[in-house]
Amino acid sequence: MATLRAAQKEMTRKLLLDAGLDLFGSKGYATTTVDDIASAAGTTRVTFYAYFPSKVELMKALISERLNAALDRTPSTERGSTERELVDVVEDGSRERIRAWLASTSERWDVIRPYTTAAFEAAAVDPDIRALLDEWLNEATGDIKEGLDRAGRFPAGTRHFRGVVAITELDHVARHWKPGTWGVERDEMLDVLTESWFGTIGRH
């Protein structure tokens, strides 16, 4: 019986997260209410608050749990989360490894886009989400800095900024590019993105 109750609680939580993500995409974060989410999940606002203290906390869960999982980011004592493969790729610094990693990551963009789009919209109106999103982007930036530190590549004082440039660029492309956007198809997009990353963080 305890196992069944735990499974039911997990299912309710999943339904609330699914409903929140869907509504943030269709209605927008700012105009979606707790009642909207509860109704779409087939439950009540009382039940919603039993799982999440606020809409903000639900958004935080979407970022810290689902988005990190979709990007293979794992907990890190140094900076919250990390993607070890990205650190290794940056340490290697070859054009081939960079392009292969970008190509692999691009295959997940359709999956992660609803999360990142909702997160950026939420960050525009909620300081707590803005702080969380900044922290999350800093964690990805930290992966690049760690790779550059390991390789001893570029002046140490520029490594963090190089990570900022690379991750900001990748995030923007991942959120907005679709086939034909900006006049480029997937292979062309990856070629140009690779050239930019290689110039910023690669081994020359």
Side-chain angles (χ1 to χ4, degrees):
M1 186 64 72
T3 303
L4 177 58
R5 281 198 298 270
Q8 289 173 333
K9 287 184 68 175
E10 185 59 33
M11 177 56 68
T12 300
R13 191 173 189 277
K14 178 182 183 300
L15 288 172
L16 288 167
L17 288 167
D18 288 345
L21 182 65
D22 288 344
L23 286 167
F24 295 158
S26 60
K27 288 188 62 172
Y29 176 85
T31 57
T32 296
T33 66
V34 166
D35 284 333
D36 291 335
I37 298 170
S39 177
T43 187
T44 66
R45 66 184 288 120
V46 173
T47 299
F48 177 97
Y49 286 123
Y51 289 85
F52 302 101
S54 65
K55 182 175 70 170
V56 171
E57 293 303 316
L58 184 142
M59 186 70 246
K60 287 181 178 180
L62 288 172
I63 295 172
S64 62
E65 297 172 21
R66 292 191 174 185
L67 183 55
N68 275 347
L71 291 171
D72 294 330
R73 299 196 64 79
T74 56
S76 165
T77 55
E78 292 85 6
R79 54 177 174 275
S81 72
T82 185
E83 185 186 350
R84 303 316 305 172
E85 177 65 15
L86 174 56
V87 176
D88 293 342
V89 166
V90 175
E91 181 181 9
D92 176 270
S94 67
R95 191 189 308 268
E96 293 74 22
R97 285 286 300 276
I98 290 172
R99 192 186 194 285
W101 184 85
L102 289 171
S104 175
T105 298
S106 73
E107 293 174 358
R108 294 176 282 186
W109 289 354
D110 286 343
V111 173
I112 68 172
R113 190 173 291 122
Y115 296 94
T116 54
T117 299
F120 271 83
E121 182 182 340
V125 297
D126 193 298
D128 287 342
I129 300 298
R130 187 180 313 126
L132 179 66
L133 187 58
D134 287 345
E135 179 183 338
W136 183 79
L137 291 169
N138 283 336
E139 290 168 8
T141 298
D143 285 341
I144 291 184
K145 182 181 182 298
E146 181 181 341
L148 293 177
D149 286 344
R150 286 187 187 180
R153 198 159 59 247
F154 301 114
T158 72
R159 292 170 190 162
H160 175 76
F161 179 61
R162 289 176 183 275
V164 170
V165 171
I167 291 300
T168 301
E169 178 180 53
L170 176 62
D171 170 72
H172 185 81
V173 174
R175 281 189 293 122
H176 297 286
W177 181 85
K178 293 180 180 179
T181 302
W182 305 315
V184 293
E185 299 302 324
R186 183 172 184 271
D187 283 346
E188 296 169 306
M189 176 272 295
L190 287 171
D191 286 344
V192 174
L193 192 55
T194 298
E195 284 301 314
S196 182
W197 266 47
F198 185 69
T200 303
I201 63 173
R203 169 166 49 84
H204 299 276

PDB file of all heavy atoms in Angstrom, residues 22 48 87 111 118 127 135 162 168:
ATOM      1  N   ASP A  22       3.376  22.636 -20.344  1.00  0.00           N
ATOM      2  CA  ASP A  22       2.483  22.830 -21.491  1.00  0.00           C
ATOM      3  C   ASP A  22       1.840  24.224 -21.469  1.00  0.00           C
ATOM      4  O   ASP A  22       1.775  24.910 -22.496  1.00  0.00           O
ATOM      5  CB  ASP A  22       1.385  21.761 -21.497  1.00  0.00           C
ATOM      6  CG  ASP A  22       1.905  20.385 -21.873  1.00  0.00           C
ATOM      7  OD1 ASP A  22       3.031  20.303 -22.409  1.00  0.00           O
ATOM      8  OD2 ASP A  22       1.198  19.394 -21.613  1.00  0.00           O
ATOM      9  N   PHE A  48      -2.034  21.101  -5.593  1.00  0.00           N
ATOM     10  CA  PHE A  48      -0.839  21.751  -6.151  1.00  0.00           C
ATOM     11  C   PHE A  48       0.087  22.198  -5.031  1.00  0.00           C
ATOM     12  O   PHE A  48       1.284  21.905  -5.045  1.00  0.00           O
ATOM     13  CB  PHE A  48      -1.238  22.957  -7.008  1.00  0.00           C
ATOM     14  CG  PHE A  48      -0.059  23.717  -7.561  1.00  0.00           C
ATOM     15  CD1 PHE A  48       0.388  23.481  -8.853  1.00  0.00           C
ATOM     16  CD2 PHE A  48       0.620  24.668  -6.797  1.00  0.00           C
ATOM     17  CE1 PHE A  48       1.480  24.157  -9.375  1.00  0.00           C
ATOM     18  CE2 PHE A  48       1.714  25.352  -7.295  1.00  0.00           C
ATOM     19  CZ  PHE A  48       2.152  25.092  -8.589  1.00  0.00           C
ATOM     20  N   VAL A  87      33.300  19.060 -20.525  1.00  0.00           N
ATOM     21  CA  VAL A  87      34.615  19.373 -19.964  1.00  0.00           C
ATOM     22  C   VAL A  87      35.713  18.662 -20.761  1.00  0.00           C
ATOM     23  O   VAL A  87      36.730  19.268 -21.119  1.00  0.00           O
ATOM     24  CB  VAL A  87      34.692  18.971 -18.473  1.00  0.00           C
ATOM     25  CG1 VAL A  87      36.102  19.212 -17.927  1.00  0.00           C
ATOM     26  CG2 VAL A  87      33.673  19.753 -17.654  1.00  0.00           C
ATOM     27  N   VAL A 111      13.759  18.892 -27.666  1.00  0.00           N
ATOM     28  CA  VAL A 111      13.306  18.424 -26.359  1.00  0.00           C
ATOM     29  C   VAL A 111      13.491  19.504 -25.301  1.00  0.00           C
ATOM     30  O   VAL A 111      12.616  19.733 -24.465  1.00  0.00           O
ATOM     31  CB  VAL A 111      14.058  17.144 -25.949  1.00  0.00           C
ATOM     32  CG1 VAL A 111      13.730  16.746 -24.516  1.00  0.00           C
ATOM     33  CG2 VAL A 111      13.735  16.007 -26.906  1.00  0.00           C
ATOM     34  N   ALA A 118      10.541  28.625 -21.604  1.00  0.00           N
ATOM     35  CA  ALA A 118       9.750  28.964 -20.420  1.00  0.00           C
ATOM     36  C   ALA A 118      10.623  29.592 -19.339  1.00  0.00           C
ATOM     37  O   ALA A 118      10.214  30.552 -18.668  1.00  0.00           O
ATOM     38  CB  ALA A 118       9.060  27.713 -19.875  1.00  0.00           C
ATOM     39  N   PRO A 127      12.396  37.488 -10.225  1.00  0.00           N
ATOM     40  CA  PRO A 127      13.801  37.569  -9.814  1.00  0.00           C
ATOM     41  C   PRO A 127      14.369  36.230  -9.353  1.00  0.00           C
ATOM     42  O   PRO A 127      15.555  35.942  -9.585  1.00  0.00           O
ATOM     43  CB  PRO A 127      13.782  38.579  -8.662  1.00  0.00           C
ATOM     44  CG  PRO A 127      12.547  39.382  -8.863  1.00  0.00           C
ATOM     45  CD  PRO A 127      11.551  38.439  -9.462  1.00  0.00           C
ATOM     46  N   GLU A 135      22.467  31.201 -12.489  1.00  0.00           N
ATOM     47  CA  GLU A 135      23.300  30.187 -11.836  1.00  0.00           C
ATOM     48  C   GLU A 135      23.487  28.982 -12.746  1.00  0.00           C
ATOM     49  O   GLU A 135      24.582  28.438 -12.860  1.00  0.00           O
ATOM     50  CB  GLU A 135      22.644  29.767 -10.518  1.00  0.00           C
ATOM     51  CG  GLU A 135      23.407  28.700  -9.747  1.00  0.00           C
ATOM     52  CD  GLU A 135      22.684  28.274  -8.483  1.00  0.00           C
ATOM     53  OE1 GLU A 135      21.847  29.051  -7.984  1.00  0.00           O
ATOM     54  OE2 GLU A 135      22.950  27.162  -8.000  1.00  0.00           O
ATOM     55  N   ARG A 162      35.605  33.416 -21.974  1.00  0.00           N
ATOM     56  CA  ARG A 162      35.461  32.575 -23.168  1.00  0.00           C
ATOM     57  C   ARG A 162      34.298  31.596 -22.994  1.00  0.00           C
ATOM     58  O   ARG A 162      33.541  31.337 -23.927  1.00  0.00           O
ATOM     59  CB  ARG A 162      36.760  31.830 -23.453  1.00  0.00           C
ATOM     60  CG  ARG A 162      37.874  32.733 -23.963  1.00  0.00           C
ATOM     61  CD  ARG A 162      39.202  31.984 -24.154  1.00  0.00           C
ATOM     62  NE  ARG A 162      40.231  32.919 -24.579  1.00  0.00           N
ATOM     63  CZ  ARG A 162      40.442  33.275 -25.854  1.00  0.00           C
ATOM     64  NH1 ARG A 162      39.696  32.752 -26.808  1.00  0.00           N
ATOM     65  NH2 ARG A 162      41.394  34.129 -26.161  1.00  0.00           N
ATOM     66  N   THR A 168      26.654  31.470 -24.104  1.00  0.00           N
ATOM     67  CA  THR A 168      25.621  32.424 -24.518  1.00  0.00           C
ATOM     68  C   THR A 168      25.243  32.210 -25.976  1.00  0.00           C
ATOM     69  O   THR A 168      24.056  32.211 -26.344  1.00  0.00           O
ATOM     70  CB  THR A 168      26.105  33.871 -24.300  1.00  0.00           C
ATOM     71  OG1 THR A 168      26.416  34.068 -22.916  1.00  0.00           O
ATOM     72  CG2 THR A 168      25.048  34.876 -24.722  1.00  0.00           C
TER      73      THR A 168
END
